[in-house]
Every structure is written in C-alpha cells, then in structure tokens.
Amino acid sequence: MTTYYNEHSKVLVSVDCIIFGFENKKLKLLIGKRNMDPGRGTWSLYGGFVEQNESLNDAANRVLYQLTGLKDIYMKQVGAFGAVDRDPGERVISIAYCALINVKDYDKALLETHQVEWVNIDELPVLYSDHNDMVKKAITLLRRRISSEPLSFNLLPEMFTLTQLQHVYEAILGETIDKRNFRKRIKTVEYIEKTDFVDKVTSKRGAALYRFNKNAYLTDSTFKL
C-alpha cells in the first residue's frame, strides 16, 4: 500500500449479482437472507466486496462462481449504486451485475449450502437496501436488449421448443405475445435452427426442438427479433 491520497476518505466497493433463471413460464431471481449485520435475516441479492487485487469483473465472476459453480455464463454490468446512506454499516458503493442461467444447470445442493432460493419476479419480497432498485434496472435493461441480443437462450436448455422460447420472451417483457406472429418472425432468424429431435415430454403431440447457432449469429447478428 502507498501513502497517497491520505487526505481523502476511503470507501468500500462491492459487487451485487442479480441472477435470473426461467422455470414454469416464470422469470425467477436467486435470493437469500443475509447472514451478517447490518440487515441480518433480510432478503438480499448475493454479493461480496472487491478485493485489492481484483477488477470489478473479476470480483463479479468470483461471486457468481462461488454461488453457482458455473463459469462462462452471461453477465453484464447493470450500473453503480452509491447513495450515501444505502448501507447503514459503512460507506459502500456497489456495482450491480446481471447474470442469466438455466435453472436446471444449477446444482440444487448449492441452494442449501448458500441458503438461497428461486423466487418469481412478480412475487419478490422487499430486499435489503437498494437491491429492489437494482433488480428493476436489470429487468429494464433485459427488455431493451432482448430483441437485439440472444439473451433468451441463456435461460433455456441447449435444445428447446418454440413455445418455451416464446414463454421466455413473455416472462421478460411481462406481456403476452401473439403466437402466430412470433413464430413467423422466428422462421426468418438464421441463428435459430431446427433440429431432428422432438420433445415428447412437455408436448403430447411432440414438438420440434430448436437450438441457438452461435456461429450463425456471430456471422450475421444484424437481425433484430
């Protein structure tokens, strides 16, 4: 440590992770109850302080891996939250990150280990400090980007039906989408490709399974769904 900037007050910097999942036609959020003061027992996002040798992204990736055991998942910075009184313990500035994962990829044993659970977005309790504001901003960003970025595929298994894909869009947008128009638009998207497999679990008649072709998307990502 140097002796520079001693005339200035120091503040703590943390990262808070807004982890979204999708299940049973619902957008879900991974939350738990704080096990530290202040706010012990309050519903909260999962986060941690940025260490001396970490960048913000490194800290967010570390926290995400600790909680989910997953690497290389979709993650975007949502914004900085720095109200003077946002944390009653100390002066803390938090950088919020949004992550999207497939609920079925998450090891259920980790739910118990970290004492967290999936909660429907429309049934969220009051969260610690400004965490509800973080979630609202993250959802707003998802709604802005879902038509121009392949966000929805991060919430689905590798192969999915068009009905499942539509339900993801509806869950994020918070509105019902016309089935015929949606499928008409999907057929024009080259990076959503039909496979030879059929889903007979969620569809009695058997529904065609599709998958996201990342190479096709990277080759021509100009289309907006």
Side-chain angles (χ1 to χ4, degrees), residues 27-39:
L27 186 65
K28 295 176 176 284
L29 181 69
L30 196 61
I31 60 174
K33 292 190 175 181
R34 283 174 64 88
N35 58 5
M36 65 175 72
D37 293 319

Side-chain angles (χ1 to χ4, degrees), residues 13 30-31 33 57 64 83-84 101 110 150 193-194 209:
V13 179
L30 196 61
I31 60 174
K33 292 190 175 181
N57 284 354
L64 281 170
V84 175
I101 68 174
L110 291 175
E193 62 179 21
K194 187 176 181 180
L209 287 168

Side-chain angles (χ1 to χ4, degrees), residues 106-131:
Y106 188 85
D107 187 347
K108 290 185 177 180
L110 291 175
L111 291 173
E112 282 190 33
T113 300
H114 296 291
Q115 297 183 325
V116 293
E117 59 185 80
W118 291 106
V119 177
N120 293 340
I121 283 297
D122 53 6
E123 298 174 354
L124 277 186
V126 175
L127 303 178
Y128 178 74
S129 184
D130 49 10
H131 289 188

Side-chain angles (χ1 to χ4, degrees), residues 16-20 29 45-46 78 96-100 134-135 138:
D16 282 299
C17 294
I18 307 160
I19 304 174
F20 291 115
L29 181 69
L45 297 173
Y46 194 85
V78 172
Y97 282 82
C98 171
L100 304 177
M134 293 180 181
V135 175

